[in-house]
Amino acid sequence: MLEQQRRAEPVPVPVQRVFTLTRKDFNAGNIHTINRESVFAKAVGQQKSWPDGTKDDVWAQIQEMASSEENHQRFGSYEALINAALALHRAKLAKNLGTVTSTTIRTGALSSSNQSNESSNSSNPSDPSNSSDSGDQLSDQQKVERLSTLRREVSAIVPSALHDFRNRNQMVTSFKPLTGGSNSQNPYYTIGTGGNFLLGGTGTGHSYDDLVEKAVTHSGLKEEALAERLITYLGGNTKAFEGMDEAAVKQCLKMVALFQGAEFRRAAMNPLAAVAALNSVISSSGTVGISDAIYKSTLFGPTNGGSMQSQFHRNTGVDTTTEAFLKQAVAEYDNIARLLRRNGFDPNDLADFEKGCLSLAKTLTEAHQKTFDYEMEG
């Protein structure tokens, strides 16, 4: 009888671990051992200067995480916990953001089962089933030769109104993105003489990893949604970032300023290469990240400061025979080809490929004059 009673007694259920901070598990039973002040006392960098409202939101989210029914990851620092909590909070707010779709440049991937159907799907641009989108019957060397020709042709169609901006012997003393309405609070940048380094605005340097990470954290958007908004802005819509948190907008504005500022001065086709890379993020449904796409599939992107590889069509100092160059160039070509296919051009036909590149490049240079104000020295 005693044995039966023992069997009938309920087994105590351990308190569920919902997240771990350094080596301590937190849940609803012990979250009271930390508070808003103690959490932000160990914040780092810009986290310390966040507005009180943002800090309140983060602390509320941390408490919610401790009371949830799902396990969250192990956080190695208060910095990581704070960023994760902010991202979760902003992700909830992001659900109320309207969908943004580029009207000047079609994005996404064609259906592998029916390439005449121009609706977006979730195919991965690196999937061999999509090889026909990128004209894979061409050799790597043929793709490089096409890129060289097209980069020269795109440079030739830059409107005269932007010739001064692309004159690298002159400093750009003010390069300001426009966002519709009052632009007085928008950041502005400078670009030095003879160089392509963008100075000013949020953060330091040209780290796409850093810019993307912060844009995701502060916006709550997934990377494919951010990529869509970046393309929409680059295509001429100054309201592409409307409704997003100000801190996230600043990260996005710096990215588009890099593409249409420093990199456009370096080589006129670089903004198109950027758009093609961003489109690979959308068509992969986020399995390809924004920074990875820029670093690995644009000729300007191997390093944070940009690369003279994208000037190979006019700079004989670029070694086009290395494996690293060929890999980068072919990846750029393939992404551009897929983007052209999505926009109704046949990348397998040389004439149509050239027509498509020049058409999209023209769209981007026209958009440049709608989305940026700039001043030159002298």
Side-chain angles (χ1 to χ4, degrees):
M1 179 66 71
L2 181 58
E3 184 64 26
Q4 290 178 340
Q5 287 178 340
R6 286 176 176 170
R7 289 179 181 176
E9 290 175 356
V11 177
V13 178
V15 177
Q16 185 180 19
R17 172 180 63 81
V18 292
F19 73 84
T20 302
L21 177 58
T22 60
R23 297 181 179 180
K24 183 175 181 178
D25 296 341
F26 282 92
N27 50 55
N30 67 351
I31 190 64
H32 67 275
T33 60
I34 58 175
N35 56 41
R36 178 187 183 277
E37 287 67 32
S38 65
V39 167
F40 277 94
K42 297 184 179 180
V44 299
Q46 294 181 345
Q47 292 176 337
K48 291 180 177 292
S49 60
W50 285 353
D52 285 340
T54 300
K55 292 180 179 179
D56 290 341
D57 292 337
V58 167
W59 173 238
Q61 184 64 53
I62 290 173
Q63 291 175 295
E64 184 178 325
M65 290 163 65
S67 303
S68 68
E69 295 182 356
E70 61 177 302
N71 282 334
H72 295 275
Q73 68 184 62
R74 178 185 297 273
F75 302 105
S77 65
Y78 278 86
E79 177 189 12
L81 172 64
I82 290 169
N83 282 338
L86 180 62
L88 285 172
H89 172 70
R90 292 281 161 79
K92 290 187 291 187
L93 297 181
K95 293 178 181 179
N96 297 320
L97 287 174
T99 301
V100 169
T101 304
S102 172
T103 58
T104 56
I105 300 174
R106 295 175 185 171
T107 60
L110 291 178
S111 169
S112 58
S113 61
N114 183 2
Q115 291 189 347
S116 64
N117 179 1
E118 292 185 342
S119 61
S120 297
N121 66 12
S122 300
S123 59
N124 189 324
S126 63
D127 188 326
S129 66
N130 293 324
S131 60
S132 60
D133 281 356
S134 56
D136 272 356
Q137 66 271 37
L138 297 175
S139 68
D140 289 354
Q141 189 56 45
Q142 286 174 313
K143 291 179 179 181
V144 171
E145 290 171 1
R146 273 195 178 188
L147 269 184
S148 179
T149 299
L150 285 165
R151 282 183 166 274
R152 286 191 291 270
E153 291 181 357
V154 169
S155 295
I157 66 163
V158 173
S160 58
L162 289 174
H163 286 181
D164 62 336
F165 180 79
R166 296 199 65 236
N167 182 356
R168 295 172 65 227
N169 292 320
Q170 281 189 292
M171 177 180 180
V172 184
T173 56
S174 176
F175 185 51
K176 188 171 188 175
L178 308 177
T179 53
S182 174
N183 295 288
S184 60
Q185 300 302 313
N186 289 1
Y188 75 91
Y189 313 92
T190 61
I191 308 173
T193 303
N196 300 287
F197 210 78
L198 191 81
L199 300 175
T202 186
T204 57
H206 286 196
S207 171
Y208 292 106
D209 276 336
D210 187 50
L211 289 167
V212 172
E213 179 184 3
K214 289 178 178 175
V216 169
T217 297
H218 288 280
S219 70
L221 293 170
K222 294 182 179 180
E223 291 199 31
E224 59 265 37
L226 276 176
E228 184 71 59
R229 288 173 180 268
L230 291 167
I231 291 176
T232 299
Y233 186 92
L234 291 167
N237 186 346
T238 59
K239 296 184 179 181
F241 308 127
E242 199 169 71
M244 291 171 55
D245 179 80
E246 181 182 355
V249 173
K250 288 180 178 179
Q251 314 302 318
C252 292
L253 290 178
K254 186 156 190 178
M255 280 189 274
V256 294
L258 283 166
F259 301 146
Q260 286 280 45
E263 296 307 339
F264 180 53
R265 271 167 60 98
R266 192 193 307 272
M269 194 166 163
N270 282 348
L272 176 57
V275 168
L278 292 169
N279 186 60
S280 73
V281 177
I282 299 168
S283 59
S284 74
S285 297
T287 58
V288 175
I290 293 175
S291 57
D292 263 1
I294 297 299
Y295 287 136
K296 297 178 181 178
S297 61
T298 66
L299 282 170
F300 68 80
T303 63
N304 283 326
S307 171
M308 71 175 186
Q309 283 188 153
S310 63
Q311 299 169 320
F312 81 97
H313 56 291
R314 58 182 172 82
N315 187 337
T316 56
V318 177
D319 186 352
T320 61
T321 64
T322 68
E323 183 179 351
F325 174 86
L326 287 173
K327 184 177 181 180
Q328 203 85 4
V330 169
E332 178 177 281
Y333 179 95
D334 287 347
N335 276 341
I336 291 173
R338 294 187 186 97
L339 180 66
L340 293 180
R341 175 78 73 182
R342 180 68 185 92
N343 283 269
F345 299 96
D346 181 3
N348 295 315
D349 180 271
L350 178 58
D352 213 34
F353 186 90
E354 292 178 348
K355 180 181 178 182
C357 282
L358 295 176
S359 174
L360 293 184
K362 183 173 183 289
T363 295
L364 292 171
T365 54
E366 290 175 348
H368 188 290
Q369 299 173 80
K370 299 175 184 176
T371 50
F372 291 95
D373 276 341
Y374 68 89
E375 296 177 5
M376 308 295 294
E377 67 176 350

